[in-house]
Amino acid sequence: WRAGVVVAWLEVKLAMPQYAKACQENIKSGRLLLGMSESEIESALRMTNVLHRRKLQLAIENERTPDLCKFPKSRDLDHIWVSTVWMHQLGLSQHSETMLANIVDGAVLDSLTRKDMDRYLGISRKFHQASLQHGIELLRRVQFDRQVLLERRAMCEDADTDPLVWTNQRFVQ
């Protein structure tokens, strides 16, 4: 990839336009980006947010070796859906802004630990962490396939079956 393609990929595909200027100045090709370490990425792109770096590193790894991605559909769950739809479905909408600011998408979700939730997202309540972890486990069970999740939820809308896929609102019913 040439520098312009790298910038477009960063801005559009990864939704990280705030790093476009630094990318234009310091990243001259996709090959250069693929070979950079975490500290080099932090320095070259002035990317101080740990989860932003992780998102970029996960995307780079996927570009390097796409066949090694355990959940390819995780890339289809963008940070807007995660922060506005999915967090609300989990009953954790109070953390939506944080998820949005950290550009947490499906790939980043799959990598989160309790320590990350506390340290980088400010989710310190154990119950909230457990809810988030269970939600992530559900996404793993459906291979991060939003359509499969929606279909399973639709099948149990009028029947008390498959509570694993119920939203927080469904439990309240």
Side-chain angles (χ1 to χ4, degrees):
W1 292 351
R2 295 181 190 264
V5 174
V6 173
V7 171
W9 177 73
L10 191 66
E11 287 182 310
V12 178
K13 181 71 176 166
L14 298 184
M16 302 173 102
Q18 65 271 42
Y19 302 110
K21 186 173 192 250
C23 185
Q24 285 174 329
E25 294 168 358
N26 299 310
I27 310 295
K28 302 304 176 199
S29 71
R31 179 173 290 178
L32 176 65
L33 181 62
L34 288 175
M36 295 175 84
S37 68
E38 181 178 356
S39 62
E40 290 170 329
I41 288 171
E42 180 179 5
S43 176
L45 297 178
R46 297 183 284 281
M47 191 177 284
T48 56
N49 184 301
V50 173
L51 294 178
H52 289 190
R53 285 197 310 271
R54 184 177 303 169
K55 178 180 173 124
L56 180 57
Q57 287 176 307
L58 290 167
I60 289 169
E61 282 304 312
N62 183 60
E63 291 298 322
R64 270 193 205 124
T65 53
D67 296 338
L68 294 181
C69 183
K70 188 173 181 180
F71 300 110
K73 295 251 183 194
S74 67
R75 294 172 289 198
D76 298 336
L77 304 180
D78 69 0
H79 71 287
I80 302 294
W81 182 82
V82 167
S83 62
T84 59
V85 176
W86 188 70
M87 291 297 285
H88 178 72
Q89 291 171 345
L90 291 180
L92 296 172
S93 55
Q94 66 271 38
H95 300 294
S96 292
E97 288 299 318
T98 300
M99 299 295 268
L100 188 63
N102 283 283
I103 317 174
V104 176
D105 60 7
V108 174
L109 274 178
D110 187 42
S111 74
L112 287 179
T113 64
R114 279 185 182 254
K115 189 175 179 180
D116 294 334
M117 292 173 200
D118 189 18
R119 182 179 289 166
Y120 306 124
L121 296 172
I123 301 173
S124 55
R125 291 186 173 162
K126 300 302 179 200
F127 182 74
H128 290 192
Q129 290 176 354
S131 294
L132 191 53
Q133 284 185 311
H134 288 295
I136 293 167
E137 181 57 33
L138 169 61
L139 290 174
R140 288 179 183 133
R141 288 182 184 206
V142 297
Q143 302 289 305
F144 283 81
D145 190 324
R146 187 179 349 192
Q147 191 59 40
V148 169
L149 181 61
L150 291 173
E151 288 169 5
R152 282 183 59 182
R153 283 181 175 163
M155 289 171 38
C156 64
E157 274 182 8
D158 298 321
D160 289 340
T161 59
D162 203 4
L164 184 65
V165 298
W166 290 2
T167 65
N168 186 56
Q169 294 77 19
R170 176 68 172 89
F171 270 105
V172 172
Q173 290 179 340

